[in-house]
């Protein structure tokens, strides 16, 4: 299609279909229009409501500071799109370029963007999961239902899993004055994302705020009463927690089942795509007309040894959406890679947590500013002698500096003096990840420049 | 001999339009003259350094041989008052955090917004009092008294004391901006007296508020018992002084620069008159286009730092020229154009990083109210002199007077 005018035709009167009408889907659609796409645009979403924002669902909404219904994402421009909400895509015919819908309809496309995200991993025992009082938290309805139940003043809340979402829920419950037990299989909260050193800080935060935190245990069964309401949970250490609200917070499953048999390289780990968000087929060949963005995508990141990363981060969904939209309407030489440095935020127990890079790739951590004991610090993660990630507890304003260190593969530990370096920050510590994923040795890539136009990648082959 | 760029920045002759000098300066993003500070003038470099933990705001980290700023440069005392502004973490963080508790989110999310009614009344009162529409000095009759009155209300200065408070505040502010014609000894003495009296007045007020706390900020600061422990009386005094001086000296200039810019761009003024909501993007663009704090002269390096191929040695004095970064064509298209419709105004006007302007939400709201009301009520306003006479100060830059005339004042 290069140079033969087909791109112009696509822009003028092509058909673009977006499956998954949430954050990534909406932002991609807006970008398409921004870039002059004048053809027909269809957004397909299985949720009945317009796109909304998820981060407040486990924070402001549970605290009663915002209502779940009022989390609609701001529209950045008019879209002029056909919305097909409340119906799921159930199949994809790559050869005929059609998406099949639950109601039997088929929607043809010239370009397809898949942004179906993830869903909450349910409690594995279905009967137990169906007990009244057992919740997951992914959607607006989940959040509204949970907030209502918390309003009713339960005797005790049990949160299963102390990742970011689980910790935020526990924090919100404590702020409401509700008794909370948190059961976590790992040695500490957040340990998978941030390691044991920071996990120990997170554990202190839970306990200082009155959470009954149990680590190194698993919930083995949920028990209901005669009327089908949850009343207790059994733990692997033999103990029982009496509770009338359970929130299952065990991570997420990717929404890719509807693509089974389509020939697209999609599976439980997401949709494999290249750095330009073009999806691979199952043969590992990149498609030219199917793109993926957001939580469902899995793409190589040049800065991290070309590892295929799937990131459940708000900022990642937005930036991949924009890159995918741009590339859909570009000649091959004008396509852009998604090179954004991963970034994440959370807020719990009154502390603002932010991270950049991939802390979980780090093997060591240096507390370069502030102090772990104060729960206000900046931790830099090192991997093979370079800075690979950073986390800030109430220190977010410094992060752009550490992001630059990551982008330029600065040496670890950073050799210079900084403000507020404490004695504990003189030496790196073992970051203490449960199962360090060791990426393969590879070439080194560094990033420079600021605006998308002068952003450059420098490649140094492995030796 | 041609003047060095540094001298040109400080030279009063260039006060009305420093932007051509900044443009010259940006040709070398790290500009260093023998014995002078390292001057950073480009957007991305300034922004990086504002987030760089190897940069200190505490003058005690300056090397003893660090560059003395050239004569006429703003000295420590003549720029902004001490307080957490000139401290590094952890002291900075503690004081700023404690000061923020009664001021902004998360603990006081409604403080600034809750002042809307009061701001409106103050603005209305000042405009009502302008009197003769033929010759208005906007600085004296409006831009000056407005923020001081706001600070009084915020701190909880009783109405009957406001006049005395205004006098001290004005004297101190004038001292930040030396009038070349005034006798320096006399001026200093006047300022010292004012500082003494204001300090004693505040100390008395603090004592009084400890016993009978009210809803005001000073009461809340005086009685706070958070994780950070209480503020000492000295800390409270320096914080109150910081809020007072930084909080109004900058807003005066923002409002005055704002009106000046609107009068030079009558189409925008017209649009604002028709739609007061335009005040929001206008103030953002103003903070880019004519920021009241032109440069940050009090930074020093804790280590050797490389910036754009230049190594700034440890202990060096570093100036960050915010106003120049705001007009960097690598960041902003057509940067010398005042354009409130810019889609992306991420300016440096309020700084960035841990020292980013504490009072920003209030300053924004004050200026939005001020400009929208002035636009609505002044009938056909015109400048009587352009450029107006400027203040001496190169750091806190703004007109000393802004003389306008208009056909009348609408009710
Ligand atoms: C409670 C909570 C708190 C969070 N907090 C933070 C935070 O603090 N910071 C942060 O960085 N990130 C946070 N996140 C993550 C962030 O919200 C996600 O990264 C982001 O929503 C991803 O956007 P997306 O568009 O890729 O996917 P999603 O938002 O999951 O959207 C996918 C959409 O596709 C729909 N869909 C799925 N399958 C189909 C199908 N077959 N047909 C049609 N439609 C389908 C889904 O129902 C959904 O509406 C949080 C997430 C949650 C749930």
């Amino acid at each position: 299609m290069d140079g033969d005018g087909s791109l112009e035709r696509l822009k003028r009167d092509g058909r673009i279909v977006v499956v998954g009408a949430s954050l990534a889907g909406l932002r991609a659609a807006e970008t398409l229009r921004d870039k002059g796409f004048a053809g027909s645009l269809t957004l397909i979403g299985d949720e009945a409501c317009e796109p909304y924002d998820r981060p407040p669902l486990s924070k402001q909404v549970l605290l009663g500071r915002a209502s779940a219904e009022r989390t609609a994402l701001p529209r950045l421009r008019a879209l002029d799109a056909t919305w097909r909400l409340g119906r799921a895509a159930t199949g994809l015919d790559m050869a005929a370029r059609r998406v099949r819908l639950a109601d039997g309809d088929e929607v043809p496309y010239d370009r397809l963007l898949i942004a179906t995200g993830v869903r909450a991993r349910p409690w594995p025992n279905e009967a137990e999961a169906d007990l009244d009082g057992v919740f997951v938290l992914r959607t607006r309805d989940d959040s509204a239902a949970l907030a209502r139940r918390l309003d009713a003043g339960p005797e005790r809340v049990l949160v299963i899993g102390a990742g970011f979402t689980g910790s935020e829920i526990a924090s919100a419950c404590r702020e409401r004055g509700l008794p909370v037990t948190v059961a976590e299989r790992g040695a500490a909260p957040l340990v998978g994302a941030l390691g044991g050193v920071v996990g120990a800080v997170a554990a202190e935060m839970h306990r200082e705020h009155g959470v009954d935190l149990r680590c190194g245990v698993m919930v083995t069964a949920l028990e209901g009463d005669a009327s089908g309401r949850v009343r207790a949970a059994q733990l692997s250490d033999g103990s029982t927690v009496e509770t009338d609200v359970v929130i299952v917070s065990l991570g997420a499953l990717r929404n890719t089942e509807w693509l089974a048999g389509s020939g697209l390289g999609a599976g439980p780990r997401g949709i494999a795509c290249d750095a330009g968000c073009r999806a691979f087929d199952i043969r590992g060949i990149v498609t030219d007309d199917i793109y993926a963005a957001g939580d469902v995508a899995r793409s190589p990141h040049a800065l991290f040894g070309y590892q295929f990363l799937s990131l459940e981060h708000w900022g990642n969904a937005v930036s991949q959406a924009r890159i995918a939209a741009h590339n859909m309407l570009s000649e091959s030489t004008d396509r852009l890679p998604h090179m954004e440095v991963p970034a994440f935020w959370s807020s719990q127990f009154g502390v603002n947590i932010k991270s950049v890079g991939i802390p979980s790739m780090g093997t060591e951590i240096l507390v370069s500013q502030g102090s772990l004991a104060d729960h206000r610090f900046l931790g830099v993660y090192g991997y093979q002698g370079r800075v690979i990630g950073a986390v800030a507890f109430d220190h977010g304003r410094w992060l752009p500096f550490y992001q630059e260190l990551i982008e330029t593969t600065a040496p670890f530990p950073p050799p210079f003096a900084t403000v507020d370096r404490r004695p504990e920050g003189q030496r790196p510590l073992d970051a203490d990840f449960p199962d360090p994923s060791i990426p393969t040795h590879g070439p080194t890539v560094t990033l420079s420049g600021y605006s998308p136009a002068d952003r450059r990648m420098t490649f140094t082959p492995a030796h | 001999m041609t003047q060095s760029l540094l001298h040109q920045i400080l030279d009063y002759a260039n006060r009305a339009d420093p932007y051509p000098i900044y443009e010259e300066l940006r040709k070398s993003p790290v500009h260093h003259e023998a014995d002078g500070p390292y001057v950073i003038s480009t957007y991305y470099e300034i922004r990086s350094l504002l987030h760089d933990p190897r940069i200190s705001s505490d003058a005690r980290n300056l090397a003893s041989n660090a560059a003395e700023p050239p004569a006429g440069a703003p000295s420590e005392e003549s720029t902004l008052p001490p307080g957490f502004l000139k401290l590094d973490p952890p002291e900075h963080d503690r004081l700023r955090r404690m000061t923020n508790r009664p001021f902004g989110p998360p603990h006081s999310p409604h403080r600034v917004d809750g002042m809307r009614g009061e701001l409106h009344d103050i603005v209305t009162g000042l405009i009502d009092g302008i009197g003769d529409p033929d010759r208005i000095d906007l600085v004296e009759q409006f831009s000056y008294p407005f923020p001081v009155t706001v600070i009084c209300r915020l701190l909880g200065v009783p109405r009957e004391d406001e006049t005395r408070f205004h006098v001290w505040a004005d004297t101190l502010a004038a001292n930040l901006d030396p009038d070349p014609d005034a006798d320096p000894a006399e001026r200093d003495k006047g300022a010292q007296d004012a500082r003494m009296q204001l300090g004693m007045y505040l100390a008395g007020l603090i004592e009084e508020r400890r016993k009978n706390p009210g809803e005001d900020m000073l009461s809340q600061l005086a009685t706070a018992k958070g994780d950070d422990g209480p503020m000492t009386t000295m800390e409270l005094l320096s914080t109150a002084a910081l809020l007072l001086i930084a909080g109004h000296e900058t807003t005066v200039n923002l409002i005055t620069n704002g009106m000046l810019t609107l009068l030079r761009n009558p189409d925008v003024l017209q649009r604002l008159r028709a739609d007061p909501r335009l005040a929001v993007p206008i103030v953002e663009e103003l903070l880019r286009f004519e920021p009241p704090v032109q440069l940050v002269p009090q930074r020093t390096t804790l280590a050797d730092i490389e910036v754009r191929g230049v190594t700034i040695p440890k202990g060096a004095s570093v100036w960050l020229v915010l106003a120049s970064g705001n007009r960097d064509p690598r960041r902003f298209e057509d940067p010398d154009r005042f354009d409130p419709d810019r889609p992306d105004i991420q300016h440096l006007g309020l700084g960035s990083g841990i020292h980013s302007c504490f009072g920003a939400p209030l300053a924004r709201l004050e200026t939005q109210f001020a400009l929208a009301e002035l636009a609505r009520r002044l009938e056909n306003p015109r400048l009587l002199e352009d450029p107006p006479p400027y203040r001496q100060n190169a750091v806190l830059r703004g007109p000393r007077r802004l003389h306008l005339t208009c056909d009348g004042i609408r009710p």
Side-chain angles (χ1 to χ4, degrees), chain A residues 20 22 24 46-47 54 58-59 89 116 138 294-295 313-314 345:
Chain A
S22 184
D46 62 1
E47 295 188 81
R54 295 178 203 273
S58 53
K59 306 175 183 80
T116 46
R138 178 77 203 172
D295 285 6
H313 297 175
W314 193 95
W345 85 93

Side-chain angles (χ1 to χ4, degrees), chain B residues 81 147-152 154-155 157 165-166 168-170 172-173 176 194-195 198-199 202 237-252:
Chain B
V148 191
T149 308
V150 174
I151 286 284
C152 282
L154 192 66
L155 290 179
V157 171
F165 193 86
H166 270 233
W168 297 322
D170 288 356
L172 283 181
L176 289 181
R195 191 174 299 127
L198 179 67
L202 283 172
L237 281 177
S238 82
T239 303
L242 176 67
L243 297 181
L244 168 67
I245 304 290
H248 94 263
E249 193 52 15
T250 47
T251 315
V252 175

Side-chain angles (χ1 to χ4, degrees), chain B residues 8-11 14-23 25-26 39-42 46 50 74 79-80 249-250 253-254 257 260-261 285-298 319-327 347-351 390-399:
Chain B
Q8 290 184 53
I9 297 179
L10 301 171
D11 187 344
N14 294 317
R15 198 68 73 246
D17 185 12
Y19 297 101
I21 303 165
Y22 297 155
E23 187 178 339
L25 204 57
R26 282 193 300 269
V39 182
I40 319 291
S41 54
T42 46
I46 294 171
L50 286 169
T79 53
L80 292 172
E249 193 52 15
T250 47
N253 289 339
L254 185 58
N257 288 335
L260 175 62
T261 306
E285 173 69 344
L286 256 181
L287 284 162
R288 183 193 72 82
F289 188 75
E290 289 276 25
V293 180
Q294 294 268 301
L295 60 103
V296 174
Q298 59 230 353
W319 288 14
L320 306 173
V321 191
L322 306 177
S324 170
N326 277 349
R327 300 244 189 152
H347 56 75
L348 302 169
L350 299 169
Y390 270 78
R391 305 160 152 252
Q392 188 61 31
N393 203 311
V395 173
L396 303 172
R397 172 178 163 270

Side-chain angles (χ1 to χ4, degrees), chain A residues 369 376 395 397-402 404 416-420 422 450-451 454, chain B residues 44 47-48 51-55 88-90 93 97 302-303 330 353-354 356:
Chain A
Q369 293 176 244
R376 290 192 196 97
H395 263 52
R397 288 174 194 264
W398 297 110
L399 276 182
F401 172 76
Y402 292 90
E404 268 183 60
F416 42 73
T418 51
V419 293
D420 202 14
R422 313 280 177 93
Y450 295 96
S451 67
D454 62 20
Chain B
Y44 291 111
R47 204 187 51 177
S48 273
H51 293 272
D52 194 320
R54 298 168 298 176
I55 299 277
D88 287 338
D93 292 0
R97 200 161 53 228
L302 295 177
R330 274 183 71 219
I354 63 163
S356 71

Side-chain angles (χ1 to χ4, degrees), chain A residues 2 330-336:
Chain A
D2 292 356
S330 299
E331 303 288 0
S332 59
T333 48
D334 298 332
R335 290 188 188 131
L336 296 172

Side-chain angles (χ1 to χ4, degrees), chain B residues 72-181:
Chain B
S75 78
E76 284 295 287
E77 292 317 312
S78 67
T79 53
L80 292 172
F84 55 80
L85 196 61
K86 289 184 178 179
L87 294 174
D88 287 338
E91 294 82 5
H92 164 275
D93 292 0
R94 174 175 161 270
L95 286 173
R96 181 165 168 142
R97 200 161 53 228
M98 293 178 78
T99 312
N100 192 56
R101 274 182 93 90
F103 182 68
H107 299 286
S108 310
H110 303 302
R111 161 79 73 183
V112 171
D113 218 50
M115 290 188 79
R116 279 174 181 273
E118 219 163 343
L119 293 185
H120 183 266
D121 293 347
I122 301 170
V123 166
T124 304
L126 286 171
I127 299 180
D128 287 346
I130 283 178
D132 180 8
D134 285 342
R135 191 175 170 85
I136 303 168
D137 176 3
L138 192 78
V139 177
E140 168 146 350
Q141 292 175 271
F142 185 84
S143 324
Y144 228 93
F146 177 35
V148 191
T149 308
V150 174
I151 286 284
C152 282
R153 305 287 164 81
L154 192 66
L155 290 179
V157 171
R159 298 268 162 111
E160 61 271 23
D161 295 340
E162 272 186 24
T163 338
R164 282 197 294 160
F165 193 86
H166 270 233
V167 174
W168 297 322
D170 288 356
T171 314
L172 283 181
N175 196 50
L176 289 181
D177 184 45
D179 175 354
D181 298 332

